[in-house]
Amino acid sequence: MSALSSLENDAAIVVEHVARREQPVDGETVARLRTEFPRLHSLFRALYGDRPGSLEALVHLIDVVLDARADRPAQLRRLDRDRAADPTWFESEKMIGGVCYVDRFAGDLDGVRGMIPYFRELGLTYLHLMPLFDSPEGDNDGGYAVSDYRTVKPALGTMADLRALADDLREAGISLVLDFIFNHTSNEHVWAQRALACDPVYEDFYLIFPDRELPDAYERTTREIFPDDHPGSFVPLPDGRWIWATFYRFQWDLNYANPDVFTAMAGEMLFLANQGVEVLRMDAVAFIWKRLGTACESLPEAHLLLQAFNAVLRIAAPAVLFKSEAIVHPDEVQDYISPDECQLSYNPLQMALTWEALATRDARLLQLALDERHALPAGTAWVNYVRSHDDVGWTFADEDAARLGIDGGPHRRFLNDFYIGRFDGSFSRGFPFQENPRTGDARIAGTTASLAGVAAGDDGGEDRVVLAHALAMSTGGIPLLYLGDEVAQLNDDAFQEDPARRGDSRWAHRPTRPEDRYARRLDESTVSGRVFTRLRRLIEVRRASPEFAGNDLVPFHTPHVAVVGFTRPSSDGDGGAVLVLANVGDSPVDIPSATFSGLDESAYDVVRDRALTLGGGLVLPAHAFVWLRVRRR
Ligand code: OTU
């Protein structure tokens, strides 16, 4: 057992090892290995340098990577080349995503395949299927407790079905997105079962302690993530030991301080990549590294691990992108985003502040986020969404709120009350999620339509659904639709009757596919028909407007606190842009002509397809928005 030493020394050992491999390595792969090895080595040294066996782990990792490369199917090697030739493909104005549960939306993988015509009708180019791997019967956190990364849940289909689906989607211009749930496995995973049986190799795959001494010490500084399930970060095992479980009691955190865990998970990741997955949603990135005395969130090593996974992918499956799922302070969210780490990231700040603005009828905090927290490094993009399968959490920065005279703590309590519908006059019909009586924290569950006022019969409900999507579709990056929201699906209260679901209010916003609503989607005398028609139009206009590509955004301020504004400049550098203005308030605003003095008087409304003049100012009705093609004077 040896520890890593210098790059030259260790590289020589790897070269010799690779030369002895039975299967010859092709020149292209050797070239990529040469490029990535120094980075991988330095990351491994930073993570595992002193640990005996770290050298063997790295050599083993190289084998895993080269085996995966050798297994990569021809059509995916072709994809690798296509993406290398067009590295900013995901920044295109034509990108738009959808997300759904396989069983709830389509029954099984075959059902998803049958929906490709609908995805095309909608214009999707990206499809995120919620976790579909083998997981415990009953409560399994919607599949986020994985028992086997290489087996599809039998009720949904087989791995061959998944591969065929990935191919068919790609054929239809749609990239398949799946989760890489790498912070934890289910307690039924074979590694977990062996750890439970005290196999020392697998005990070291998890964080297991004989008594409460270290768990108590860690819990002095960790947060409770799912307090409804268990307090703190640990759960007891039947034999009295304690195991780290950040989320549900049946989700056991992996021990990435052990390099064999990294190598094992890299193998699972590359297996997924070789099934045809084009984007991996990196679940719960903030939690993957632990250190006593810290919150055990977003530690520097979490970034090193992601960069090491990134380097592994660059060698064996370079077409694949990472999407970071960090629902944390906006500074921390940004830290995960770079071409060397995660090229894509959810934009939880814009998501939360869209809801914040709709509740307060004040868009200033959202405007501040767009003004100061929107920029990203080249070669990366936001995934902008109105809501996800998870809760809405108020992850804005208290420092930002304070600049506007808003006190973060009470403001979050107001927002929770508002969206749960406990606040007088609220238009929302949400549920609380993980309400923590000890800290007063809570998050919100509910479908877009139920949170926006459609369920409550509020006059502004439909407009708010469309306005929220118009923002997600216009700020840049990849807009992501939760399928069902485009037909204004309401909450599913039935989860309260289901023993496997009633403890988790997020099931309120994960209903099954609403056949009746989809059947009426072209009938504009219905809510579903109107919302669908309007969103469909936005998708079409976005796709035809190159200004929406990339992430460049220039703030555009008006005198009204209820209005959020920005332009998306044309890349031609000709002074052209699309101006986006949205009114989150309940009354019309009259934007004076002076606000537009830097622009040509004539503008073009690309959504309504008509010319207008800005010379006399612009009236923006309640809950309305415009996308105007303008030109700088
Ligand atoms: C993720 O979310 C998933 O999106 C959830 O569906 C899972 O339950 C969970 O991980 C466990 O796999 O706490 O409320 O960024 O907000 O990672 C959702 C921190 C969650 C967390 C996030 C987590």
Side-chain angles (χ1 to χ4, degrees):
M1 297 281 265
S2 338
L4 291 162
S5 66
S6 69
L7 174 61
E8 298 70 49
N9 206 48
D10 296 344
I13 291 168
V14 167
V15 167
E16 205 181 299
H17 180 82
V18 170
R20 279 202 307 268
R21 276 174 61 90
E22 251 168 55
Q23 220 169 10
V25 185
D26 64 88
E28 201 188 319
T29 307
V30 170
R32 277 204 300 273
L33 180 56
R34 271 186 204 289
T35 312
E36 296 297 333
F37 185 76
R39 171 159 85 115
L40 197 52
H41 182 265
S42 103
L43 291 164
F44 242 62
R45 258 188 82 128
L47 287 161
Y48 306 119
D50 304 334
R51 194 172 153 130
S54 53
L55 177 61
E56 285 81 1
L58 181 60
V59 173
H60 181 203
L61 174 64
I62 299 300
D63 269 334
V64 166
V65 172
L66 295 178
D67 289 347
R69 182 63 198 173
D71 287 348
R72 189 149 172 87
Q75 72 272 25
L76 297 179
R77 287 170 176 253
R78 206 172 318 122
L79 183 73
D80 291 336
R81 282 193 293 274
D82 292 351
R83 296 307 193 209
D86 180 18
T88 59
W89 65 277
F90 56 88
E91 297 178 41
S92 158
E93 68 280 9
K94 300 194 170 55
M95 288 299 293
I96 178 149
V99 53
C100 66
Y101 285 87
V102 174
D103 55 342
R104 315 218 103 205
F105 195 71
D108 57 17
L109 290 174
D110 236 23
V112 175
R113 212 167 173 180
M115 267 174 205
I116 292 177
Y118 174 68
F119 300 147
R120 294 188 65 134
E121 172 189 339
L122 204 51
L124 298 190
T125 62
Y126 164 125
L127 181 68
H128 175 198
L129 296 178
M130 296 303 295
L132 45 78
F133 300 104
D134 214 14
S135 59
E137 276 312 307
D139 191 1
N140 51 39
D141 190 17
Y144 278 95
V146 178
S147 303
D148 183 350
Y149 297 90
R150 300 189 188 217
T151 311
V152 170
K153 216 175 183 29
L156 304 181
T158 63
M159 209 36 97
D161 295 336
L162 182 65
R163 276 194 298 274
L165 174 62
D167 285 345
D168 288 353
L169 286 169
R170 193 170 320 107
E171 194 71 21
I174 302 171
S175 297
L176 176 63
V177 183
L178 289 186
D179 281 83
F180 184 44
I181 301 153
F182 68 118
N183 174 70
H184 45 264
T185 72
S186 92
N187 58 345
E188 293 182 6
H189 193 285
V190 57
W191 303 337
Q193 289 299 307
R194 290 184 185 156
L196 198 58
C198 297
D199 175 335
V201 169
Y202 292 96
E203 280 177 321
D204 202 20
F205 267 47
Y206 298 90
L207 294 132
I208 304 178
F209 300 94
D211 52 41
R212 283 292 311 176
E213 190 187 329
L214 276 168
D216 282 339
Y218 277 111
E219 283 177 357
R220 275 196 277 281
T221 48
T222 58
R223 251 187 336 140
E224 289 180 345
I225 306 300
F226 284 177
D228 286 357
D229 186 65
H230 62 273
S233 306
F234 293 81
V235 293
L237 294 176
D239 58 17
R241 295 182 294 167
W242 290 82
I243 191 161
W244 200 305
T246 299
F247 299 97
Y248 282 109
R249 60 189 57 241
F250 48 80
Q251 288 164 314
W252 295 352
D253 289 45
L254 286 162
N255 173 24
Y256 278 95
N258 173 1
D260 294 336
V261 168
F262 179 84
T263 298
M265 287 304 285
E268 304 308 277
M269 176 184 79
L270 293 176
F271 176 84
L272 292 184
N274 280 352
Q275 308 312 302
V277 181
E278 297 189 28
V279 177
L280 288 168
R281 173 194 181 277
M282 306 300 275
D283 185 54
V285 289
F287 298 92
I288 57 180
W289 193 270
K290 281 81 172 158
R291 186 184 312 122
L292 196 62
T294 72
C296 298
E297 285 182 50
S298 295
L299 291 172
E301 288 85 351
H303 296 285
L304 303 181
L305 282 167
L306 284 163
Q307 288 161 24
F309 278 124
N310 176 304
V312 160
L313 262 189
R314 295 281 79 76
I315 302 166
V320 178
L321 302 177
F322 283 161
K323 175 171 79 163
S324 155
E325 191 257 340
I327 315 301
V328 290
H329 187 285
D331 291 341
E332 277 177 41
V333 173
Q334 288 269 355
D335 288 342
Y336 291 95
I337 310 171
S338 88
D340 290 343
E341 198 167 322
C342 297
Q343 302 89 345
L344 303 175
S345 168
Y346 280 108
N347 190 348
L349 182 64
Q350 184 180 314
M351 184 276 290
L353 292 181
T354 298
W355 290 110
E356 188 269 350
L358 289 172
T360 57
R361 283 79 163 175
D362 180 336
R364 286 176 305 157
L365 209 45
L366 175 61
Q367 183 75 53
L368 185 62
L370 288 169
D371 293 1
E372 298 184 10
R373 294 186 179 275
H374 182 76
L376 286 179
T380 67
W382 290 117
V383 171
N384 283 306
Y385 60 117
V386 174
R387 61 97 164 190
S388 71
H389 71 287
D390 279 334
D391 43 286
V392 176
W394 310 109
T395 56
F396 58 83
D398 282 4
E399 322 72 280
D400 294 359
R403 281 166 60 193
L404 300 173
I406 299 167
D407 189 347
H411 196 54
R412 287 189 183 84
R413 281 195 285 285
F414 156 72
L415 292 166
N416 283 326
D417 287 344
F418 185 91
Y419 278 107
I420 294 163
R422 287 175 190 155
F423 187 84
D424 227 17
S426 166
F427 52 70
S428 169
R429 294 286 179 273
F431 288 88
F433 177 65
Q434 303 294 336
E435 215 168 8
N436 192 335
R438 214 172 44 74
T439 58
D441 287 344
R443 287 113 83 180
I444 295 299
T447 67
T448 299
S450 286
L451 297 180
V454 176
D458 185 89
D459 284 346
E462 278 176 50
D463 285 343
R464 285 189 202 94
V465 171
V466 180
L467 181 147
H469 283 96
L471 287 172
M473 283 190 219
S474 58
T475 55
I478 306 177
L480 179 58
L481 261 172
Y482 191 96
L483 293 173
D485 278 359
E486 78 280 25
V487 289
Q489 184 166 28
L490 302 177
N491 287 346
D492 176 15
D493 297 340
F495 82 95
Q496 288 161 306
E497 262 68 70
D498 179 343
R501 298 202 161 99
R502 67 170 158 241
D504 189 332
S505 58
R506 291 174 299 176
W507 289 107
H509 59 237
R510 301 166 178 176
T512 53
R513 182 185 154 83
E515 291 305 342
D516 50 333
R517 287 182 178 267
Y518 277 104
R520 290 194 298 262
R521 70 183 181 277
L522 301 176
D523 175 357
E524 291 185 55
S525 70
T526 67
V527 181
S528 300
R530 287 188 295 273
V531 169
F532 181 84
T533 306
R534 292 171 73 188
L535 293 184
R536 181 71 200 84
R537 172 73 188 148
L538 291 183
I539 295 171
E540 186 180 276
V541 169
R542 181 180 196 275
R543 192 191 314 154
S545 309
E547 295 90 338
F548 287 129
N551 197 51
D552 282 355
L553 178 152
V554 181
F556 188 93
H557 294 170
T558 76
H560 302 280
V561 296
V563 176
V564 58
F566 52 89
T567 63
R568 301 294 317 281
S570 141
S571 60
D572 299 346
D574 57 357
V578 170
L579 168 64
V580 176
L581 293 168
N583 175 12
V584 298
D586 291 337
S587 30
V589 290
D590 195 343
I591 306 174
S593 58
T595 305
F596 303 106
S597 61
L599 303 175
D600 267 0
E601 275 195 14
S602 59
Y604 197 84
D605 183 326
V606 290
V607 178
R608 291 169 192 83
D609 211 358
R610 61 167 188 236
L612 72 161
T613 169
L614 298 169
L618 183 83
V619 175
L620 206 50
H623 322 121
F625 67 93
V626 285
W627 288 358
L628 302 179
R629 186 161 278 131
V630 295
R631 184 166 299 282
R632 263 201 312 277
R633 263 212 239 268

